[in-house]
Amino acid sequence: MEFLKNDPTCHPPSGQILSLITSLSNHQNHAQHQQALAFQSSTLSSSPLSYSNTCVQYARVLAFPHVESIPHDSIQIWKESDGGVSLMALNKDPIAGWNQLREMAGLLLKNALLKAPIDENTKMKMKLLPDASTEIKGILCKCIVDANHGIRRVGASIVSSCSLGQGGIADGMEPLPLGEHRWGEGILMPFLVNCLESAIGMMTMVEHGENGKGPVAMPEKIQYALLGSLQTLDMMLEDDAGKLERTTGPAFQKIVPCLLKLLRICGEHRVKVDSLKCCVNLIRVMPGSLIAQMNELLGVLSMLAGDEMGEVRKYVCVAIVTLLSTRCEYLQEHMLPVSQFMLRATADADEEVALEACEFWLVFSSLDESTCTMEMMAAVESVLPQLLPILVKCMVYSEESKEELLEQNAADELEVEDREQDIAPVFHRSKTKGGARKDDGEDSEGDDEDDDDEDEGMDDEREWTVRTCAAASLDGLATILPSSSVLPILLPILQECLMHADPWVREAGILALGALETGCGDEICQHLHQLHPYLMNQVESLDILPQVVCISCWTLGKYSYWAVEQTASGAQPYLVEKMTEAIVGRILDKNRKVQMASCSALGTIIENAQDLMVPYLEPIYRSLVMALQRHRTRALLITLETFGAVAETIGPATGEGSLPSIYIPPLMDMWRERGKANPMDRVLLPLMESLASISVSIGINFQPWALQVFEGAMGTINAALMTLSAKIYTDEEADPIVCATDVLDGLVEGLGPNFAELLSSGTQYQKDHFLSLLYHLVSHDIDGVRMSAFALMGDLAKQCPVVLQDGMSELITEAIACIDPFHPSVCNNAVWALGEVVIRCVGNPAALEPYAEEIVQNLISLIMGSLYGGQNDDEEDYGNPIAGLIENASTTMGRMAKVNPTFVSKDLARFLNGWMNGCSKISDMTERVDAFEGLLLSIQANPHCIKQASANLDDTINGLLFAILSWHIPDEKLSPSILVGEYVFTPFPPQYSDLYHELGTFLHQLKDSLTMEGWGSVANHLPVNVRRLFREQYSLC
């Protein structure tokens, strides 16, 4: 075991480096600390030699085990640097003090390697000289097996982060690349495996004895080597198991057998946990060595399932859940015993074990049909009688949580301020412009955000707990399994919970009832005649635990569509009114969680009831306005969001009569007062978002407040720009600029052409100032700011283009510069804004002449890129089209052709197929018409392009036919099944009859230009429903 012997060449550190480290760690002496920082920066950046020497010295401190062995001369230099203060402090506890200094040296080494300064000569990051790199690698191997746990941890961290890279460091650019001089394959991985194998060999000797002499004790060095190597492997596998496998050669294949052997024979808790963590990370990449040992892995997990240590059982659960989510085929044959074990683990007294086990049911419910077999479903169904009661029990708050909630309830009664840890961060999401079909994924982020808002009322905990996981698991299981398997078991449990004397149990029962809505909503609705009055009573009663009120509000919101149906059908004509009154009555409750839950539930009810809510708008608004004064930060944020949600859902009715005068002035007062105190106040973000929504929804009825809102938004942008100009800032810090820009955009959308009049009526901000600011925003360095600025530019072009006239050239140039798919959201809005500018140039092509070539070539790259996949920042998303981008590019291309077909027709054959595909996906009818009209004009200007667009003419004709077919597909039937089976195609929209006739004429001209054989080769291969459509609608086929 040569690798564990003391190395006589281990050099002691210098006195200068010891002085530097202690000065860097002494924050009390500010002057000395600043001098040390400056000296460190100088030594690291002056030359590669100086950089390498400093790193080596840090490494030597990290590796040197005893301060007593440091030469006297070095100690003297160290002593003289601070008058002996550091040595005096060290003498109080030499071992702990020296190890602390060693750890400090390790962290400084890690920072120096990962954040290497720029070499002034090469203009690249400093790299270690070969000799220094070799010495540091050797030292790190020693540190991994050090006797001190902290040193082993630091050594492992340096090896992992500097060999695999952190923060997106490219392969080969790591400070200690695994591929350099066979560091990974020839030194590191063999060393780590040797540590494991030596420990396994020694454990075998300990267990069976050596040469019949009886058991022997494992040397401490072997123990330290085992623990350190496992810790290093755990970090490296977690950081990048795939790269580790690729760069460490045959030795990597020995890891799995070693880990499984250790799990079999080692009784040490720490070894079992670290080995299991390594296995979990290996499961995620599933190397061949693990696949070959899969039965052994499952056997080991089964053996450890009953381990006495909770942490071991926890990671057994993590391993099984990871296997289920990544490669569930290996569990298919074992699903019944695995389900039975996870059932027991879900009921484990150790909450960490229970949480990881509960994840199993949630992951199972998310499996798709191709991976979840009938046998797996049957296995889970077989444990439902035992599982469902456990899940409901898990939904009851823990005793610790109950104490915290009761304490917070008492604080709310006193109306104290929110604690800082209770205030959730506030973020703003810029809006994407343009119309893509709703199945294309462009609304996915927004849907997630809505789900988060809805869940705010379910549970105010942001921490993922057994309770929240159990509720999500019940929701998922009720969705994937037949209700006939779930409800007969669950309904008696719910009935018992809802009638329970303990309010915490009742709360869990109501949570379970709400969680069932997604999967068993129709069946539960049959019982709502009894359950709905019960829930209303829980909300209205004043002496009920606030948490019961909260969950009742949430559950009423979940099933509010039933109340809407009852009201609309006349069965219970006043049910929506009564429910609204009950929920609104709780908005002014003293308890903050009740305030938030009632506001969230109100939003859900309004979304479902829509116009039925109009008669109740006045009392709703009066309660929300009162809440502005009463609610504190978190509840206030949701209240402000509710104003916007009401406007977006109900629309123009929120602006009728005296309603706006009830709620707009208080919002303006809050904006003015809080904005004066701090224009960057993040509470103002949902306030501005709501004002933007209100302006769009009520349109011209917003006029009385429009100028004040305009000046408020302009003032916020100017103040934020000034505040941020003196610092380096993040995207989130620019959110006030984004929100205020969206307010301006809301005014443009709401007021339409009247915005120009508003702009001229202001005294504080004139048109020139506005245009200058707009140009500054579209050229801003933050994506979110540019995204919102282009939305504003496009709406100005659409509603009142006269405002842009004087700055059009600069704005078009900047929009063209932002057609960059590596910034997809900005690119999307820039393309859309250009399209709105272009369509205003119909009849005036000279205005576009200077930019036409550049615009068209950029659009071609987007349209052609969509054929092969998007170009996204995230490597994992590479190959996926950017949602909405091809639709906006196709619309703008069509508008370019409407201005002048020759702008587009010259290169039409290059991108015709991609353009037709994009046209078929546009959902906004105005944009769709423009795209198709431009497409026809371009083809007429260059008819030969059809035969030149692809090697196979049939492909181009099919593309044309299916683009035209898209006009006849009902939105709710957008799936491949429409081509066969029941005929559901619809006639061409009658309001666009001119385009319909143009398309029909074009199709007949196309058919006439082909031989009967050529047309027949296409028509005869069309699906039967498609042939019928073109025969009935266009007299073709």
Side-chain angles (χ1 to χ4, degrees), residues 374-659:
M374 295 300 295
E375 291 75 17
M376 294 173 71
M377 296 277 283
V380 171
E381 283 191 59
S382 71
V383 301
L384 285 181
Q386 298 81 38
L387 173 63
L388 295 180
I390 291 172
L391 289 179
V392 174
K393 186 178 180 181
C394 286
M395 292 183 210
V396 180
Y397 281 107
S398 67
E399 292 303 318
E400 182 181 356
S401 296
K402 290 177 188 177
E403 291 179 10
E404 291 178 0
L405 290 168
L406 289 172
E407 181 182 334
Q408 187 59 44
N409 291 345
D412 286 348
E413 285 293 319
L414 301 175
E415 301 191 69
V416 298
E417 290 292 332
D418 281 334
R419 299 173 301 174
E420 185 175 348
Q421 61 265 35
D422 292 331
I423 301 173
V426 185
F427 301 106
H428 172 72
R429 194 189 306 277
S430 301
K431 53 187 177 182
T432 301
K433 287 288 191 174
R437 283 192 181 272
K438 297 304 180 188
D439 70 319
D440 288 341
E442 80 280 1
D443 286 339
S444 60
E445 286 187 356
D447 291 343
D448 291 344
E449 188 177 23
D450 292 342
D451 292 343
D452 291 343
D453 291 343
E454 185 179 289
D455 289 345
E456 185 76 52
M458 181 203 85
D459 200 346
D460 193 37
E461 297 171 300
R462 293 185 296 281
E463 184 183 358
W464 187 243
T465 62
V466 177
R467 165 187 162 83
T468 51
C469 187
S473 296
L474 179 60
D475 184 337
L477 291 172
T479 301
I480 195 173
L481 297 173
S483 57
S484 58
S485 298
V486 175
L487 288 182
I489 301 168
L490 203 53
L491 285 177
I493 300 170
L494 291 182
Q495 185 173 7
E496 181 182 347
C497 288
L498 296 179
M499 296 296 109
H500 205 283
D502 186 343
W504 297 104
V505 177
R506 291 204 305 276
E507 194 273 348
I510 298 170
L511 169 58
L513 179 63
L516 286 172
E517 187 277 326
T518 304
C520 302
D522 291 342
E523 291 79 6
I524 294 293
C525 283
Q526 299 173 19
H527 303 273
L528 282 180
H529 287 284
Q530 294 79 39
L531 290 172
H532 203 273
Y534 170 86
L535 293 172
M536 291 277 286
N537 182 60
Q538 304 302 304
V539 171
E540 293 174 320
S541 299
L542 299 178
D543 58 347
I544 284 182
L545 183 73
Q547 281 65 39
V548 175
V549 178
C550 291
I551 206 65
S552 299
C553 286
W554 176 73
T555 304
L556 277 174
K558 294 277 281 184
Y559 291 101
S560 58
Y561 60 85
W562 176 83
V564 171
E565 292 171 359
Q566 293 288 301
T567 299
S569 66
Q572 298 188 66
Y574 302 107
L575 188 56
V576 167
E577 179 183 3
K578 292 177 181 177
M579 181 173 61
T580 303
E581 185 179 347
I583 295 293
V584 171
R586 281 296 193 174
I587 287 177
L588 299 176
D589 197 278
K590 284 186 176 182
N591 187 277
R592 252 161 279 199
K593 291 184 175 63
V594 173
Q595 294 168 0
M596 291 187 284
S598 55
C599 279
S600 294
L602 176 62
T604 306
I605 293 168
I606 288 173
E607 184 178 345
N608 285 319
Q610 297 195 10
D611 290 347
L612 287 176
M613 299 297 293
V614 172
Y616 321 120
L617 286 177
E618 183 173 341
I620 288 172
Y621 276 128
R622 292 196 184 280
S623 293
L624 289 174
V625 167
M626 292 174 66
L628 293 178
Q629 302 301 320
R630 183 160 194 168
H631 289 184
R632 298 295 185 268
T633 306
R634 289 202 65 203
L636 180 59
L637 296 175
I638 296 176
T639 305
L640 290 169
E641 291 169 358
T642 304
F643 281 100
V646 174
E648 290 174 5
T649 304
I650 296 180
T654 58
E656 293 178 0
S658 61
L659 275 180

Side-chain angles (χ1 to χ4, degrees), residues 437 916-917 919-922 925 928 932 960-971 974 985-986 988-989 1029-1030:
R437 283 192 181 272
M916 293 185 297
N917 177 45
C919 289
S920 70
K921 296 182 175 183
I922 302 168
M925 281 301 181
R928 173 179 266 261
F932 273 87
L960 280 165
L961 293 176
F962 277 91
I964 294 170
L965 172 77
S966 67
W967 282 94
H968 300 273
I969 301 176
D971 287 340
L974 197 61
F985 289 126
T986 59
F988 202 94
L1029 170 72
F1030 282 104

Side-chain angles (χ1 to χ4, degrees), residues 145 332 912 989:
V145 301
Q332 288 174 358
L912 177 61

Side-chain angles (χ1 to χ4, degrees), residues 752-768:
N754 293 314
F755 181 80
E757 182 182 337
L758 169 71
L759 196 57
S760 62
S761 67
T763 56
Q764 193 171 357
Y765 303 102
Q766 297 296 320
K767 179 181 174 182
D768 289 346

Side-chain angles (χ1 to χ4, degrees), residues 182-197 233 237 244-259 282 287 289:
R182 300 187 72 251
W183 157 234
E185 182 178 356
I187 301 173
L188 178 61
M189 189 55 66
F191 172 74
L192 295 174
V193 170
N194 201 352
C195 290
L196 301 181
E197 290 178 338
L233 282 170
L237 289 167
L244 191 63
E245 181 183 16
R246 293 191 304 271
T247 54
T248 52
F252 182 89
Q253 305 306 318
K254 297 181 180 181
I255 295 175
V256 171
C258 288
L259 293 174
L282 284 164
S289 56

